Amino acid sequence: MSLLRRRKLRRPRSLWIPSDGQSPAPAPPFERGMARRDFLRMGAAALTMGAAPLGLGSLSGAGLAGCLPKGSAAGGIEPDGPPKAPPEHWVRDARTAGFEVMIDARPHELGEQLDILADSGVNVVEADCDLSAYLTNSEFDEQLAVLDLVAYGSHLRGMRCVAYYPTLEVLSAEAATAPHVLSKEHPDWLQIGIDGKPNMFVGGGGRVFWVDPGVESAWTCPLTGYLDYYLDRIRRLTATRLDGVWGDVPLLSDIEGVWPCTNEACRTKFKNDTGMVLPGQVNWDDPVFRRWVLWRHQLIFDFEQAILRAVKSVKASAEAIIETVTMDYNGGTIQGLDGAFAHAGELVRVWEVDAVSDGSAMRGGTADDWICMAVMMRHGSGSSFGQPSWIFTYGREEDDAERVMALAIATRNNPYETKIPLMCTTVGNAYRKRMYRWMDAQKDLYSLPGANRAAVLFSPASRDFLDRNSGVGLYASFYEADDLWWSAEKQDSALKMEYLADYRGTCKALIHAHVPFDALPIAAATPEMLASYKLLAIPSPASLSAATIQMLDAYVTQGGTVIVTGQEGGYYDEHGTARTDASFLRAIGITNADMANTSGSFIVRAKGRGTVAYTAIRAGQAYLQTTEPAMLAQYIQTAEKAGARVTSTAPKEVLMDLRRAPNGVVLVCASMYGLGTRGGGAAQYAQQDTTFRVSIPEEGKTPVRVQFSEPTAGASDRDLPFTRDKGLVSFDLTVRALALVRIELA
């Protein structure tokens, strides 16, 4: 199955802006706007007022200021009331919504829509114009002008604004007859599959509904001349009033292509980088093919970094935001895009966590589907390498949408609220306002440092080499009655994977064991970071560098506890080259007899001042498939001894996260209790509130106050009664979807 996008081509139309730069008298809402040539002439004249243009036909931000309307709300984009300052820490505290910008809209109509967003608590506007299309320079200039205008209106309402711009997919209308079609003008820009075919198709039906009939979807290669073309336009966008550019899914797309890209540019670069000849067929037993799989991650990473540099070269305060649709699953293997591959510096990721159904969102998901979503959200924040992590929170109705957003907030992701399956809509303005206003009231929600004492190590190369793109692994269940279910192919289930199932099942076990944990990509691990954790779970670590093996060995020897599964630990190096044995397992004292013991029982041994808990089977995979109590008991016992677990009577479906406050600790809980317990299907959604007791260490201090907060309609913050015993402060709480508890210690 190919992972599909949720966009529709919107054909360019003319924006109505008064030629004198003043607000006009009211006019019929669909009155024809000024001619394109007049609009561009006005923009070109205004350029003399501002900075030098960045390129032929470009419009600088300063120049566009002369085009903006002034005056009353009847004709201008300004709000009725006094302007508000846009937020300073908007990346960290983002509450995002999509805004479909119609280029023929009048400024006051744009303003009215921005008023709605601002009133609902949005502080970041994702402006979605017509940049998906293969635009001429003059058409692109029209987009610049309207985006600049929307950014101006957003700022006046106390919001930031970023522009959506696809990265490698280009849509050309009337592909059969029009001369201005990307594949006709630049066939050398196309991705080429391993089968030698160009990566393009013409829309006309099926699940690829964002490509209209007769429209060409062409996927380009970032090593061709397309790179200069794209970066030039990125710089021109950044020169407007926009606060950033939102680059959409830089993929080596498998919608039509078969293992792209193998064009001449990629062949040459792979040869120069590795000294190897790019492989001509899929062969996971070939070390050259494995090296190429990893090189494709580097190719996409380098393209992202080029976008970041282009943005910062124009405006240091602007942000480069990359929409990343591949999470932890095998889409990252085949499509190259993998947020866990390397630290992306100042780049901001917005993760598109798809739902089980493009029609009903998560309403028909099973309990394991909800666990898969929770793990992907935890993975998103971890694979943002300390940068703010934004994430889609698709919903169908308020109740399911709230539980998706609860998982996002509890896993330290900033939500992008929208209604399945589109990006520029909402489940409801009242719902959005309720959730976003609550978030705004929690001023330190994303500024507090994490206090989780456990982490799960994620190895993208291990996933590549063990799962071998055998299936997608997005979710667990299937529902044949829903044509918009995420997949109908049984081999795509996450339950069927090797590495992915072990990773997700390990995370599931820790959630069920009430162990607050972080998802930690191997590329993010440092000795200093590992030292902050008491427990490190390392599922099926097949691919590890010698330096990483040494670091993990030192972590254990110096007092850490590790849970290690599988028989391949360290069998491959970081380039995919096979070693003679499982080097990591040898380093931590695992013997041949240990690897032959497939009973599933943890073999627990001391190593230095630390502890190794090992099983030769993929214990996480087994737990994901069975939810076996005996397996969970082993995780609980190990986490308890390591001091990484929260003492609680909560149902196992409650996800917990700890954050360090200056005067104590903050507990955030997201409940999946009751979700999916009656099986999959569009009519099976049910949720239940849950009440339970939690005990948190006093840390040698005196508890002063326990305060409870939730975004439930009509709820207000309240103090909870608490007790003290044996160094613990204990309290009862009831969780509907999301709860935040502040434990003040003096």
Side-chain angles (χ1 to χ4, degrees):
M1 185 203 80
S2 299
L3 199 61
L4 303 178
R5 305 295 307 119
R6 295 190 167 109
R7 296 284 181 176
K8 292 184 180 179
L9 176 67
R10 290 172 292 278
R11 295 177 177 82
R13 290 167 285 181
S14 298
L15 171 69
W16 182 87
I17 292 182
S19 59
D20 61 358
Q22 302 298 314
S23 298
F30 299 104
E31 179 179 331
R32 182 176 177 82
M34 64 186 297
R36 176 182 293 173
R37 63 179 181 276
D38 295 330
F39 180 89
L40 294 177
R41 183 172 66 248
M42 180 180 66
L47 276 174
T48 61
M49 301 165 54
L54 293 172
L56 181 64
S58 67
L59 299 176
S60 75
L64 283 166
C67 308
L68 295 175
K70 308 288 185 182
S72 71
I77 199 169
E78 299 94 336
D80 288 334
K84 300 178 181 178
E88 180 181 1
H89 300 293
W90 61 281
V91 179
R92 184 195 67 195
D93 299 325
R95 302 182 299 275
T96 306
F99 180 28
E100 187 169 2
V101 180
M102 294 300 180
I103 201 169
D104 57 353
R106 298 165 62 90
H108 76 274
E109 293 171 331
L110 296 173
E112 289 168 359
Q113 295 303 309
L114 291 174
D115 285 338
I116 294 173
L117 295 180
D119 179 68
S120 64
V122 171
N123 65 3
V124 178
V125 176
E126 182 252 15
D128 194 341
C129 213
D130 283 306
L131 299 183
S132 301
Y134 187 42
L135 302 173
T136 64
N137 277 331
S138 61
E139 290 170 337
F140 187 73
D141 285 341
E142 282 191 295
Q143 307 297 315
L144 290 180
V146 71
L147 288 168
D148 184 271
L149 183 64
V150 170
Y152 171 71
S154 298
H155 292 168
L156 293 176
R157 292 163 174 81
M159 300 183 292
R160 298 289 181 174
C161 184
V162 298
Y164 165 85
Y165 189 13
T167 53
L168 296 176
E169 184 188 27
V170 181
L171 302 179
S172 301
E174 301 174 355
T177 58
H180 186 59
V181 176
L182 187 133
S183 67
K184 295 178 182 178
E185 294 186 345
H186 298 287
D188 56 312
W189 287 4
L190 297 176
Q191 297 175 13
I192 303 297
I194 204 168
D195 58 356
K197 297 179 181 178
N199 194 1
M200 53 174 284
F201 63 92
V202 176
R207 292 188 67 187
V208 192
F209 59 82
W210 72 94
V211 182
D212 288 343
V215 174
E216 174 190 274
S217 170
W219 287 85
T220 59
C221 173
L223 293 181
T224 66
Y226 176 78
L227 178 65
D228 291 337
Y229 163 88
Y230 185 77
L231 295 182
D232 174 69
R233 294 196 165 186
I234 287 288
R235 287 187 285 267
R236 290 162 67 185
L237 277 167
T238 308
T240 67
R241 298 175 192 261
L242 288 165
D243 298 290
V245 179
W246 176 302
D248 186 31
V249 294
L251 300 176
L252 298 169
S253 173
D254 66 331
I255 293 173
E256 182 68 23
V258 179
W259 280 96
C261 177
T262 64
N263 64 16
E264 188 59 35
C266 282
R267 290 180 179 277
T268 300
K269 186 73 163 62
F270 182 69
K271 176 71 172 179
N272 291 340
D273 288 349
T274 67
M276 300 176 178
V277 176
L278 193 147
Q281 61 182 353
V282 177
N283 181 4
W284 286 100
D285 294 326
D286 179 6
V288 177
F289 180 79
R290 294 195 297 268
R291 182 69 178 271
W292 180 60
V293 170
L294 300 180
W295 180 86
R296 294 166 81 249
H297 296 316
Q298 185 72 52
L299 171 67
I300 297 300
F301 177 84
D302 290 344
F303 176 52
E304 294 174 337
Q305 292 299 298
I307 295 172
L308 175 63
R309 290 191 298 271
V311 168
K312 295 296 184 181
S313 71
V314 175
K315 190 161 53 183
S317 62
E319 300 293 341
I321 302 155
I322 296 295
E323 185 176 331
T324 305
V325 70
T326 53
M327 301 297 299
D328 55 352
Y329 54 87
N330 290 336
T333 301
I334 185 68
Q335 296 171 336
L337 174 62
D338 194 326
F341 174 71
H343 195 307
E346 295 180 86
L347 184 145
V348 177
R349 290 203 185 276
V350 54
W351 303 89
E352 186 179 12
V353 181
D354 285 289
V356 291
S357 170
D358 280 350
S360 59
M362 290 299 294
R363 299 190 70 82
T366 64
D368 281 334
D369 290 330
W370 280 94
I371 282 290
C372 285
M373 170 167 275
V375 175
M376 284 190 280
M377 288 190 168
R378 182 66 85 184
H379 179 86
S381 58
S383 295
S384 294
F385 291 82
Q387 281 283 92
S389 179
W390 299 2
I391 208 157
F392 282 74
T393 57
Y394 286 115
R396 181 65 185 178
E397 308 294 340
E398 285 195 24
D399 51 1
D400 62 277
E402 184 172 356
R403 278 148 190 84
V404 172
M405 191 180 292
L407 288 173
I409 293 171
T411 53
R412 302 181 67 90
N413 291 283
N414 299 81
Y416 178 124
E417 190 276 321
T418 190
K419 184 173 183 175
I420 204 83
L422 300 176
M423 291 178 59
C424 294
T425 184
T426 178
V427 169
N429 285 322
Y431 159 71
R432 178 186 281 171
K433 184 174 183 177
R434 171 167 61 87
M435 299 300 291
Y436 277 6
R437 293 290 183 180
W438 179 84
M439 289 177 61
D440 186 43
Q442 312 302 320
K443 299 299 184 183
D444 58 359
L445 187 60
Y446 293 99
S447 63
L448 296 177
N452 296 336
R453 305 312 302 269
V456 180
L457 195 67
F458 178 77
S459 168
S462 298
R463 176 209 55 210
D464 292 345
F465 301 153
L466 292 181
D467 288 347
R468 300 189 169 193
N469 196 46
S470 58
V472 174
L474 179 58
Y475 285 105
S477 73
F478 301 96
Y479 186 55
E480 295 179 356
D482 187 345
D483 291 337
L484 297 179
W485 207 253
W486 70 277
S487 177
E489 304 296 330
K490 300 301 183 185
Q491 72 269 17
D492 283 338
S493 173
L495 303 176
K496 301 290 186 182
M497 304 299 107
E498 294 294 327
Y499 180 84
L500 183 66
D502 204 17
Y503 172 67
R504 291 222 185 137
T506 298
C507 294
K508 173 183 175 179
L510 294 184
I511 292 171
H512 285 183
H514 304 145
V515 178
F517 68 93
D518 297 326
L520 184 64
I522 280 182
T526 64
E528 295 75 20
M529 181 176 289
L530 294 185
S532 67
Y533 298 113
K534 294 184 176 182
L535 173 67
L536 186 63
I538 316 174
S540 297
S543 175
L544 298 172
S545 69
T548 299
I549 291 174
Q550 184 178 17
M551 177 177 63
L552 295 176
D553 182 39
Y555 167 79
V556 179
T557 302
Q558 293 167 11
T561 296
V562 295
I563 299 174
V564 182
T565 60
Q567 302 176 6
E568 304 87 358
Y571 179 74
Y572 297 104
D573 70 10
E574 71 274 25
H575 301 301
T577 302
R579 297 185 173 107
T580 56
D581 64 359
S583 298
F584 173 57
L585 298 185
R586 298 294 184 217
I588 60 174
I590 302 303
T591 66
N592 287 338
D594 296 334
M595 287 187 277
N597 183 351
T598 58
S599 67
S601 297
F602 285 9
I603 298 169
V604 181
R605 292 203 183 98
K607 187 177 192 302
R609 299 196 304 272
T611 302
V612 174
Y614 171 77
T615 176
I617 72 165
R618 304 197 201 286
Q621 180 191 51
Y623 190 70
L624 184 65
Q625 294 171 345
T626 66
T627 318
E628 172 60 46
M631 183 64 72
L632 177 61
Q634 296 188 92
Y635 282 97
I636 291 175
Q637 183 179 22
T638 306
E640 193 79 57
K641 288 184 177 180
R645 185 170 178 257
V646 169
T647 302
S648 178
T649 62
K652 61 181 183 295
E653 295 87 359
V654 175
L655 181 148
M656 298 182 180
D657 189 77
L658 292 173
R659 303 173 193 184
R660 179 66 56 194
N663 61 344
V665 65
V666 173
L667 171 69
V668 186
C669 297
S671 178
M672 296 174 280
Y673 184 58
L675 300 180
T677 54
R678 293 193 293 167
Q684 300 300 316
Y685 180 79
Q687 59 80 27
Q688 302 174 45
D689 296 355
T690 178
T691 300
F692 51 88
R693 192 162 184 80
V694 177
S695 298
I696 300 291
E698 294 180 351
E699 301 177 343
K701 299 180 180 180
T702 302
V704 175
R705 185 184 189 190
V706 177
Q707 188 181 43
F708 176 87
S709 183
E710 63 179 346
T712 302
S716 58
D717 294 356
R718 61 187 184 274
D719 287 352
L720 298 178
F722 62 87
T723 60
R724 301 177 62 191
D725 184 44
K726 298 179 181 179
L728 298 175
V729 52
S730 301
F731 48 89
D732 296 320
L733 67 154
T734 299
V735 180
R736 178 173 180 267
L738 176 68
L740 184 146
V741 183
R742 298 179 183 273
I743 301 99
E744 184 178 342
L745 303 172

